[in-house]
Amino acid sequence: MKKLSALILAVLFLAAVCTGCKKPADPNAKGEGVMTYAEYIAAAVDAPVVIETFVQAKQSWWDNKATLYTQDQDGAYFIYNMTCSEADYAKLVPGTKIKVTGFKGEWSGEVEVAEGATFEIEEGSYIATAVDLTGLFGTDELIKHQNEFFAVKGAVVEAIGQNDAGEDVAFFYKWNNSGEDGDDLYFKVKINGQVFTFTVESYLCDKTTDVYAAVKALKVGDVIDLEGFLYWYEGANPHITKVVVK
Amino acid sequence: MKKALCLLLSVLLLVPLFSACHGSKGLKAFELPEAFDETREYTVVFWAKNDTNKTQVNIYKKAIEDFEALYPNIRVELRLYTDYGKIYNDVITNISTGTTPNVCITYPDHIATYLTGENVMVPLDALMDDPRYGLGGSEVRFDSPKRDEVITRYLDEGVIGGEHWALPFMRSTEALYVNRDYVEKLGYTLPDVVTWDFIWEVSEAALRKNDDGTYFLNGGTVMIPFIYKSSDNMMIQYLKQAGAGYSDGDGTIGIFNETTESFLYEIAEHAKSRAFSTFKISSYPGNFLNAGQCVFGIDSTAGATWMGSKAGHQDISSDKLADFEMAVLPIPQLDPDHPVMISQGPSVTIFNKPDSGEVLASWLFAQFLLTNGVQIAYAQTEGYVPVTEKARKDPAYADYLARAGEDADLHYSVKLAATKLLLENVENTFITPVFNGSASLRDAAGQLIESTAKSARRNETVDKAYMEKLFKNVNALYRLDQRGENAVGKKELGPMPASSIALLSALGAAWIGIGAYVLINIAKKKKR
């Protein structure tokens, strides 16, 4: 009898040990009732959506509303004005896994989880590495990477306009240079022979950040590597987070 | 004796401290100085709003340059905003620290809140009427309009509580921008003034699809027939046209009524079918109109330079622009024979300062913004109209109006049509009552439409129960039932709370006890 008991205990012990040996939970595994990225993309505008995703960057918090750039291993989700207390916003550091419940929206081409979604923080962490999209700018494939953290290499800075003295300048404060230091920065780059307008979104990267200073220091003709989020406004309108002049 | 003196001084010291506990004193009311002191240097901080329009920025800068040339002892510091809400928030923050600007572009709704602070603002009646420095005054160094040359209707929009607190700067209204080709392709004739019934009917018809699932009108996959930029204006103007409640001059809220409810059902029906959407849900009407993905867009006349595929401002790439004939009409009406539309646009207000000379310098600059040069130049940047008869009668302005369509820039036909729409309808414009809280009520008006449209699009049931809940939520969200409690600066605090009375009574009793003890001791010493 003692042997039998010892055997049962040994089996139970081994079972417990084996359970503990399991690989950590797949950060990309979806909980019950949660959409995959493909299901999210297939959902109609205004349809209810439930997603699990990982915070990559925070754009802003105001009046209990948070705007986030998030991503899982399959794709990215821009979350606009999600209901969020200031205390909870502080917890949303890059990598944090969140389950978001809301409705799908589309605003000027930007697909997003619309204003008023709710969320809960879950176990898990994931930081996306920048995917190199240099070859996709100017192609129909680019939109499939909407909102992703991306990189472009070897872009050439183009003049965005002229200053009051009629000289070419590499960046504007606001889209038409009507702003001032601290406002969004706009600049143009040539990639694959086509010119695109990129933005340093001042809520995401304010005037104290390296990228803000780097763009202000750009000169027409500079060759640069960039990183950022592939935001959309009537076409690709990336929000840039890093610029390195080659 | 020394102790008694100390006690007396202590009590005297405490009295003002207690007085200061309940409300604080503001600035002294402004008094016009005898004369403008030209030997002193003044700095006037000017917070201005532009429509992200570089030309407007340059006009402000030129106005400052011209003004400083006339008054070399006044320096004007410009700070630019592109959002009235941001100016409002910054002013509120700076009232509490005493660092308001001197001159500010603003809306009367916002001034009503600023006025809850003691002497934060400067009433303008005495300044306007001063024979030396007032409008058209003898000591003013520029060709200032006289008071009766400022359009009375616009001047009176700055009256709050019987006094003028703002000068009008520019005026605009809303216009209905229409793709006339699409309306006619659907078999309709576009009238000069459309009704709400017409716009709903045509918008539903515009959802017609081809056999392949593309839209009949554009052969594409995107069509939002009717987009309204400002949902708060949509509700406000509809209620005015219907003669229904919104608010009265005392700030009594009347928006939660049967007309509002029935209009929201109408909106729900057309939002559900996707015939109708708003800026907040879908984006700018102009972007969809210019791409041939919309039939009716309602936006400010001050946004006219973004309307039309030939407009100077575009947010979409040139390959997406559609070529069509744009009509510019008054917003939809309930009674087309008696059109009603909102009057809106920036006003100028002046903040009080301890130095009355600085305030006078501020007034002179504010007045300079009404000169013909500034008025005409700024009005030409968008579908604005000048606020003075003096500017409207200026041959340069008449020439500008006469040259509509000559080019797609200064004389852009859509912009000029929008301008003329307002010039011809000044008497049909209205403003909403201004009071502390009217800005929140405006937001609430828009929220009713946004919430209803979103719910309908998401297939929620929009019925009587929904409306009751919506009204209750919006009432609470915008604190319409607590109006005045969130006022800035000095306010009527009402009776002191019982706990405060008890605390102060206990403190008083303690001091009386201490005083009695000291006096008894003095008496005892004297006996010895």
Side-chain angles (χ1 to χ4, degrees), chain B residues 227-248:
Chain B
I227 306 176
Y228 213 120
K229 167 79 189 309
S230 166
S231 46
D232 41 4
N233 273 346
M234 183 183 191
M235 177 60 80
I236 288 166
Q237 290 175 110
Y238 184 87
L239 293 177
K240 184 72 175 178
Q241 290 175 12
Y246 176 68
S247 71
D248 63 20

Side-chain angles (χ1 to χ4, degrees), chain B residues 58-74:
Chain B
N58 289 337
I59 290 166
Y60 283 135
K61 286 179 178 170
K62 182 167 188 315
I64 289 168
E65 198 181 305
D66 293 347
F67 178 76
E68 288 176 342
L70 292 166
Y71 292 92
N73 64 324
I74 303 176

Side-chain angles (χ1 to χ4, degrees), chain A residues 45-47 62 103-104 106-109 114-115 164 174-180 183 203 233-235, chain B residues 50 52-54 57 80 82 89 274 279-284 287 306 313 315-316 320 454 457-458:
Chain A
V45 170
D46 294 312
W62 174 252
F103 290 88
K104 189 173 171 181
E106 183 179 348
W107 201 86
S108 271
E115 179 165 1
D164 291 341
K174 293 192 174 166
W175 66 274
N176 62 350
N177 215 20
S178 64
E180 56 190 17
D183 288 329
Y203 289 164
Y233 176 76
E234 302 293 349
Chain B
N50 71 89
T52 322
N53 184 317
K54 192 79 198 308
V57 174
L80 289 164
T82 51
N89 287 336
R274 302 294 193 274
F279 160 75
K280 285 189 178 173
I281 291 171
S282 296
S283 191
Y284 294 93
N287 289 353
W306 296 84
H313 293 131
D315 256 356
I316 60 175
K320 291 180 182 166
K454 273 186 198 169
R457 289 168 66 97
R458 294 170 184 175

Side-chain angles (χ1 to χ4, degrees), chain B residues 253-330:
Chain B
I253 308 298
I255 194 172
F256 302 111
N257 58 56
E258 286 180 0
T259 307
T260 301
E261 190 177 331
S262 75
F263 188 45
L264 290 174
Y265 287 133
E266 205 161 25
I267 284 165
E269 179 192 341
H270 303 293
K272 189 180 176 72
S273 71
R274 302 294 193 274
F276 169 73
S277 190
T278 67
F279 160 75
K280 285 189 178 173
I281 291 171
S282 296
S283 191
Y284 294 93
N287 289 353
F288 287 91
L289 264 171
N290 298 354
Q293 297 169 340
C294 177
V295 184
F296 303 107
I298 297 184
D299 204 334
S300 172
T301 58
T305 62
W306 296 84
M307 295 296 182
S309 49
K310 296 181 179 65
H313 293 131
Q314 295 289 347
D315 256 356
I316 60 175
S317 56
S318 55
D319 61 309
K320 291 180 182 166
L321 292 173
D323 190 21
F324 63 96
E325 184 188 344
M326 176 80 89
V328 182
L329 305 181

